[in-house]
């Protein structure tokens, strides 16, 4: 079993190789604990890396505030990805026409996902970047169990997951050792954070659907912790 020191060393090597091999690389920041650790690691390797976040209007206000605070603290910037007005209007028109069906399908998650995927697609279709650093961990959900360090993502982009082999305890220990700030909602009992519809109903300890994964990552509305589509 690898020690935390060994895991940190491997993650650093993976990141350094990624930024060396890919001149057009970006990092996606979500505001969660894994992204916070990755932000610290990534900026040490490439202080000028492109950072993006997704704001569909369904994020916790605390997430946007915390993200903006961290970017200022680390003296860097983030680009928030959003769907176009046309895409947003299309989603709302579909809901108006099929409201009851949509409501029964996802109980709120549909709203966010229907906006999140086009927001990311718009960014990737610019063709400016060919590699993507993420903070995915294999022990988060069923779908991520078999994800490796390297995988092909949407639009054929190379996804690189430097902390995929870390566990939740490693993330928290790194935060403690490096005196990193973290999202305030963790102190309110949330175990994992995502967009508001996917998180608020089921990620407090002792509330919502139980899971064999320590960090469920979703409220339980999705079977087997399936993804919204960003990380397939």
């Amino acid at each position: 079993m690898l020690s935390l020191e060994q895991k940190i060393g491997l993650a650093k090597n993976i990141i350094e190789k990624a930024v060396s091999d890919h001149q057009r690389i970006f990092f996606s920041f979500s505001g969660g604990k894994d992204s916070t650790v990755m932000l610290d690691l990534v900026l040490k390797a490439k202080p000028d890396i492109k950072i993006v976040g997704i704001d569909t209007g369904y994020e916790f206000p605390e997430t946007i505030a915390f993200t903006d605070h961290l970017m200022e603290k680390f003296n860097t910037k983030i680009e928030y990805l959003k769907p176009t007005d046309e895409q947003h209007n299309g989603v709302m028109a579909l809901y108006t026409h099929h409201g009851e069906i949509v409501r029964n399908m996802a109980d709120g998650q549909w709203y966010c996902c229907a906006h999140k995927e086009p927001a990311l697609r718009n960014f990737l279709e610019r063709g400016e970047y060919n590699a993507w650093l993420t903070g995915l961990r294999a022990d988060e959900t069923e779908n991520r169990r078999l994800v490796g360090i390297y995988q092909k993502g949407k639009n054929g982009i190379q996804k690189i997951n430097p902390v995929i082999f870390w566990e939740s305890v490693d993330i928290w220990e790194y935060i403690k050792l490096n005196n990193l700030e973290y999202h305030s909602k963790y102190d309110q009992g949330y175990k994992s954070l995502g967009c508001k519809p996917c998180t608020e109903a089921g990620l407090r300890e002792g509330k919502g659907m139980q899971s064999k994964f320590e960090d469920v990552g979703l409220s339980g509305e999705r079977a087997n912790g399936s993804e919204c589509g960003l990380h397939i």
Side-chain angles (χ1 to χ4, degrees), residues 91-108:
V91 169
M92 291 300 99
L94 184 62
Y95 176 75
T96 299
H97 191 66
H98 298 289
E100 194 60 37
I101 297 174
V102 171
R103 215 167 13 246
N104 291 335
M105 283 172 54
D107 191 24

Side-chain angles (χ1 to χ4, degrees), residues 104-110 113 140-142 190-204 207-228:
N104 291 335
M105 283 172 54
D107 191 24
Q109 288 184 350
W110 180 86
C113 298
E140 290 179 293
T141 69
E142 183 71 36
Y190 284 79
K191 296 166 65 179
S192 186
L193 290 168
C195 54
K196 195 171 183 180
C198 293
T199 307
E200 65 178 354
L203 291 189
R204 291 189 175 191
K207 181 180 179 183
M209 173 180 158
Q210 297 298 310
S211 170
K212 62 183 176 181
F213 294 97
E214 180 189 357
D215 292 319
V216 183
L218 294 168
S219 66
E221 295 169 7
R222 296 185 181 285
N224 298 318
S226 60
E227 305 285 358
C228 65

Side-chain angles (χ1 to χ4, degrees), residues 26-217:
F26 73 95
F27 165 57
S28 58
F29 182 81
S30 69
K33 62 186 184 298
D34 309 293
S35 276
T36 299
V37 167
M38 276 291 295
L39 181 68
D40 188 64
L41 291 169
V42 168
L43 289 180
K44 287 174 180 175
K46 187 175 173 59
D48 64 344
I49 194 167
K50 175 72 174 183
I51 303 174
V52 303
I54 298 181
D55 179 12
T56 63
Y58 298 95
E59 310 302 318
F60 288 106
E62 296 94 330
T63 298
I64 301 300
F66 174 66
T67 298
D68 290 342
H69 168 71
L70 271 194
M71 296 303 131
E72 183 176 356
K73 181 174 181 178
F74 279 90
N75 193 29
T76 189
K77 295 180 180 180
I78 187 169
E79 177 185 351
Y80 288 111
L81 309 181
K82 300 181 180 182
T84 64
D85 290 341
E86 182 179 3
Q87 289 167 334
H88 169 76
N89 292 337
V91 169
M92 291 300 99
L94 184 62
Y95 176 75
T96 299
H97 191 66
H98 298 289
E100 194 60 37
I101 297 174
V102 171
R103 215 167 13 246
N104 291 335
M105 283 172 54
D107 191 24
Q109 288 184 350
W110 180 86
Y111 290 108
C112 185
C113 298
H115 288 83
K116 185 178 291 185
E117 293 183 45
L120 176 65
R121 186 172 64 248
N122 295 343
F123 175 73
L124 295 180
E125 287 180 350
R126 293 186 204 167
E128 298 173 12
Y129 298 92
N130 59 12
W132 175 6
L133 281 166
T134 86
L136 295 183
R137 292 195 347 264
D139 68 338
E140 290 179 293
T141 69
E142 183 71 36
N143 276 13
R144 296 180 184 178
R145 249 189 341 158
L146 301 179
V147 171
I149 295 171
Y150 301 99
Q151 64 177 143
K152 284 296 182 183
K154 293 180 180 295
N155 289 39
I157 198 165
Q158 177 67 65
K159 292 178 68 175
I160 302 152
N161 311 309
V163 296
I164 193 70
F165 51 91
W166 288 36
E167 298 178 357
S168 180
V169 65
D170 301 318
I171 296 293
W172 284 117
E173 186 62 21
Y174 185 95
I175 288 173
K176 180 180 178 180
L177 287 173
N178 292 275
N179 196 29
L180 299 180
E181 296 183 56
Y182 56 86
H183 199 301
S184 61
K185 280 199 172 291
Y186 288 116
D187 287 336
Q188 298 174 24
Y190 284 79
K191 296 166 65 179
S192 186
L193 290 168
C195 54
K196 195 171 183 180
C198 293
T199 307
E200 65 178 354
L203 291 189
R204 291 189 175 191
E205 295 175 342
K207 181 180 179 183
M209 173 180 158
Q210 297 298 310
S211 170
K212 62 183 176 181
F213 294 97
E214 180 189 357
D215 292 319
V216 183

